Amino acid sequence: MKIVILGCGRVGSTLATMLDHAGHTVSVIDFSSEAFQRLSPDFGGETIPGNGVDEEVLIRAGIKEADAFAAVTNGDNRNIMASQIAKEIFKVNKVVCRIYDPIREETYRELGMETICPTKVGAQMFFDALLCSRKALHATRLLMTN
Amino acid sequence: MKIVILGCGRVGSTLATMLDHAGHTVSVIDFSSEAFQRLSPDFGGETIPGNGVDEEVLIRAGIKEADAFAAVTNGDNRNIMASQIAKEIFKVNKVVCRIYDPIREETYRELGMETICPTKVGAQMFFDALLCSRKALHATRLLMTN
């Protein structure tokens, strides 16, 4: 699969490396060239310095041929805008967007965007870890998945 | 249960509100008083401004009577130090520590600390979402739990 990732922070660089090692064709965009140093030294994908809400930059990253797109910068607005461009303009089949703000995450999810909210996931994981046994944690995750 | 939370950022404030609403006695520590504005308006717990690696601050938050402690500031070092103080000095039964850096997370986990690494969790969730169907995602989470 050809996958474009916007944002080469902690999660973006880890994700890019995982996908590259799994045999996918990966391009990573970040406005800071220094961010690419977070990638594994054996990362075989492409790195594109630039603004991910700029269509020219997305095209340079291969968005036109991409099967999937992930927006994982630290800015909710940037992730939302880039995901909408990937979905609506470039018709990317699979688009997943990180939104830290739980309220906005719910809104955009209801509008049909595939979203991941680290705030909700994180709080729920700590809630389970603090209160539950391993068995109960297992059950909670099952419920969350269904 | 009496629970002390260090860090009132996005995750800390969401977690504190969840635990309070679930009927637990919650104290939240943050060095910035402004951070407490993130808590739900009906939050019934205590807020303690101060440095969470300062034992006096932890005592004011009720660490001596606490059943559980969560360290969720944005600083890995601060979270690790505070968790060690809670566990070793105050003998808190359940201590969970957020560590963003996957390498340090593994080290401290191997040393017996209960840790959550948002970087690894986030990257894995995006990996699953980009590549897998909902059914496969479900199976992956099952595997991660076991």
Side-chain angles (χ1 to χ4, degrees):
Chain A
M1 266 173 76
K2 161 81 185 166
I3 300 162
V4 176
I5 298 170
L6 172 62
C8 196
R10 284 188 187 106
V11 168
S13 59
T14 306
L15 175 65
T17 302
M18 285 167 73
L19 290 166
D20 178 56
H21 289 179
H24 299 283
T25 307
V26 183
S27 300
V28 199
I29 305 167
D30 201 291
F31 61 81
S32 155
S33 296
E34 279 175 31
F36 301 127
Q37 292 174 6
R38 289 197 182 94
L39 292 162
S40 167
D42 65 350
F43 176 70
E46 262 194 307
T47 55
I48 295 97
N51 185 339
V53 294
D54 178 341
E55 290 179 32
E56 284 307 313
V57 172
L58 289 166
I59 290 169
R60 256 193 286 138
I63 194 87
K64 284 184 175 174
E65 303 81 41
D67 303 293
F69 176 81
V72 288
T73 78
N74 282 323
D76 283 355
N77 290 340
R78 222 175 319 149
N79 291 342
I80 292 165
M81 281 178 67
S83 296
Q84 286 174 329
I85 294 169
K87 193 90 191 165
E88 306 303 333
I89 298 180
F90 294 107
K91 311 289 179 198
V92 178
N93 183 39
K94 186 81 177 176
V95 174
V96 190
C97 179
R98 174 159 78 179
I99 306 180
Y100 281 105
D101 176 5
I103 295 164
R104 272 190 291 176
E105 190 258 346
E106 212 162 304
T107 307
Y108 283 95
R109 191 161 38 80
E110 279 169 10
L111 289 170
M113 192 179 275
E114 188 166 348
T115 55
I116 289 176
C117 178
T119 310
K120 276 162 61 180
V121 172
Q124 187 65 51
M125 285 188 82
F126 271 91
F127 185 91
D128 293 343
L130 290 170
L131 299 183
C132 304
S133 69
R134 205 169 166 76
K135 208 166 173 181
L137 180 62
H138 180 71
T140 309
R141 287 200 186 149
L142 264 179
L143 283 169
M144 280 179 77
T145 323
N146 286 324
Chain B
M1 268 173 73
K2 161 79 183 165
I3 300 160
V4 176
I5 298 169
L6 172 61
C8 197
R10 285 189 186 106
V11 168
S13 59
T14 305
L15 175 64
T17 302
M18 283 167 75
L19 290 165
D20 177 58
H21 289 179
H24 300 284
T25 308
V26 183
S27 299
V28 198
I29 304 167
D30 202 290
F31 61 81
S32 155
S33 297
E34 279 175 31
F36 300 128
Q37 292 174 7
R38 288 196 181 97
L39 292 161
S40 165
D42 66 349
F43 176 70
E46 262 193 307
T47 54
I48 296 96
N51 185 339
V53 294
D54 178 342
E55 290 180 31
E56 284 308 311
V57 172
L58 288 166
I59 290 168
R60 259 194 282 138
I63 194 88
K64 285 185 174 173
E65 303 81 40
D67 304 293
F69 176 80
V72 287
T73 77
N74 283 324
D76 282 356
N77 290 340
R78 222 175 317 148
N79 293 340
I80 291 165
M81 283 178 67
S83 295
Q84 286 174 329
I85 294 168
K87 194 88 191 168
E88 306 303 333
I89 299 179
F90 295 108
K91 312 289 180 199
V92 177
N93 183 41
K94 186 81 178 176
V95 173
V96 190
C97 179
R98 175 161 74 180
I99 306 179
Y100 281 105
D101 176 4
I103 295 164
R104 275 192 289 177
E105 191 258 347
E106 211 162 306
T107 307
Y108 283 96
R109 191 161 38 80
E110 279 169 10
L111 290 170
M113 192 179 275
E114 188 167 348
T115 55
I116 289 175
C117 179
T119 310
K120 276 160 60 180
V121 172
Q124 188 64 51
M125 286 187 80
F126 272 91
F127 186 90
D128 293 343
L130 290 170
L131 297 184
C132 304
S133 69
R134 204 170 166 76
K135 209 165 174 181
L137 181 62
H138 179 70
T140 310
R141 286 200 186 149
L142 264 179
L143 283 170
M144 280 179 76
T145 323
N146 284 325

